[in-house]
Amino acid sequence: MLGCPKCAMARRSFLGTGALAMSGLLAGGGAILSASAQAKPGDAGRAAERASPGTLGPIDFHTHMMDPDLPNLITGSLMTEHIAAWLKAMGSPDVHLEHMDRYGVGSHVVGFSNATQGISWGDAQHDLTCYRRTNDRIARDWVAAHPGRFHGAFGLPTQDVGLSVKELERAVTVLGMKVLQISSCSPDGVYFGDRRFDPLWEAVQHHGVTVFIHPHGQDNKPPFDDFALSNSVGQGVEEIKVMTSIIYNGVFDRFPNVKIVIAHGGGFLPHYYGRLDRNAVERPPTVRNISRMPSEYLKSFYYDSCVYGPEILAALIRIVGVDRVVLGSDYPVGEADGVGELRKTPALTEMDFRRIMLETPARLLGLPTS
């Protein structure tokens, strides 16, 4: 999904032909989803509360699904030979379950794939309809239908904060969901540190919701228009933008209890924070909204482990602390064996592995660890 008005127009024009194609690609997944439609959305929270991560094993905080009733945006340089397998997995909780069992994972935090299936197709009210449909599907066909194996992440039409707050309250109180998944910015291109989102952050803090930020990637324009750089580099660029927006606009100072998990290990920013602190000294007005040095806020975020390199993950842990990292594989498009990749990280103890795979993600979900 590309967070700009122009791209929103492109999505709307795509809707007319894309939905039919998507339905065909995910026909198998759609049948599986329909088979579990008898489960009630309200059962999701109760199912999650019954889950015991101490017996179910590692919690993967970063996995994706796709709604078979909405079109996908996998085109051009994003196409790969793995696309059929990806689409099948994102359309089927059963495929997720098979993967979990194969690799010793207890449960998945699952949300819609905003990088391959943007839900912002029109105005805010239309987007709300799409989000409600997908939120209900996750709660019903994934979480409630498979107690203890899925934790649903809901989405919101963030271009309209009022509608977003109302849907957040419904997702939490009616559907029992505990994770909000958002992109790096709203569909109209505003990053989430902006003061217009204060009512949303207030609701997030009030309800104890954990926010999972998964960028949509950069616009596919030069220099990102070749070599799939909009994905490989663009995601990290977006993570820098949203993290600095949140830091410099004082979100953590105004809402100190918010819990934010950044996908892909936070991208580039945790490894390049020195220039932020230099600017704080050389340009004091840049820190007018915050009470600490910019780099100190890196430990206010949580990060998933999906960085595609054990030395990179080891460096991230040295910078932010092992207690700020959670297991995340980006299944089905990321690491095939997230637990196995995590165990390649040098200098981690068994207690460290347990903290990353179980204790910290369970705490973020409000689940017991024993």
Side-chain angles (χ1 to χ4, degrees), residues 187-206:
D188 52 342
V190 182
Y191 288 82
F192 288 110
D194 191 279
R195 293 298 293 260
R196 93 180 207 190
F197 296 110
D198 276 8
L200 180 58
W201 289 117
E202 183 176 3
V204 163
Q205 180 170 264
H206 173 74

Side-chain angles (χ1 to χ4, degrees), residues 173-245:
T173 62
V174 177
L175 302 183
M177 302 173 90
K178 301 177 180 179
V179 179
L180 163 61
Q181 179 181 314
I182 56 177
S183 185
S184 49
C185 63
S186 62
D188 52 342
V190 182
Y191 288 82
F192 288 110
D194 191 279
R195 293 298 293 260
R196 93 180 207 190
F197 296 110
D198 276 8
L200 180 58
W201 289 117
E202 183 176 3
V204 163
Q205 180 170 264
H206 173 74
H207 288 284
V209 171
T210 295
V211 177
F212 179 58
I213 296 182
H214 187 291
H216 51 264
Q218 276 278 322
D219 200 347
N220 196 30
K221 296 179 180 178
F224 295 106
D225 60 338
D226 204 355
F227 312 109
L229 292 178
S230 60
N231 177 267
S232 60
V233 176
Q235 293 279 29
V237 171
E238 284 298 305
E239 282 144 2
I240 288 177
K241 288 181 176 181
V242 67
M243 290 175 71
T244 51
S245 174

Side-chain angles (χ1 to χ4, degrees), residues 40-111:
K40 298 178 181 179
D43 293 338
R46 292 185 288 276
E49 290 169 0
R50 290 195 300 270
S52 173
T55 57
L56 286 178
I59 301 171
D60 189 335
F61 220 90
H62 181 177
T63 75
H64 296 293
M65 60 82 69
M66 294 180 77
D67 190 323
D69 294 328
L70 293 174
N72 83 81
L73 301 175
I74 304 176
T75 58
S77 61
L78 291 177
M79 292 293 292
T80 79
E81 60 185 13
H82 306 294
I83 186 62
W86 289 355
L87 293 175
K88 180 180 179 181
M90 284 192 279
S92 168
D94 283 356
V95 176
H96 273 248
L97 290 167
E98 291 172 4
H99 186 269
M100 281 189 255
D101 294 342
R102 182 180 305 119
Y103 291 102
V105 175
S107 58
H108 279 175
V109 176
V110 63

Side-chain angles (χ1 to χ4, degrees), residues 10-21 71 121:
R11 289 192 291 274
R12 290 195 293 271
S13 66
F14 181 81
L15 183 59
T17 57
L20 181 60
W121 304 101

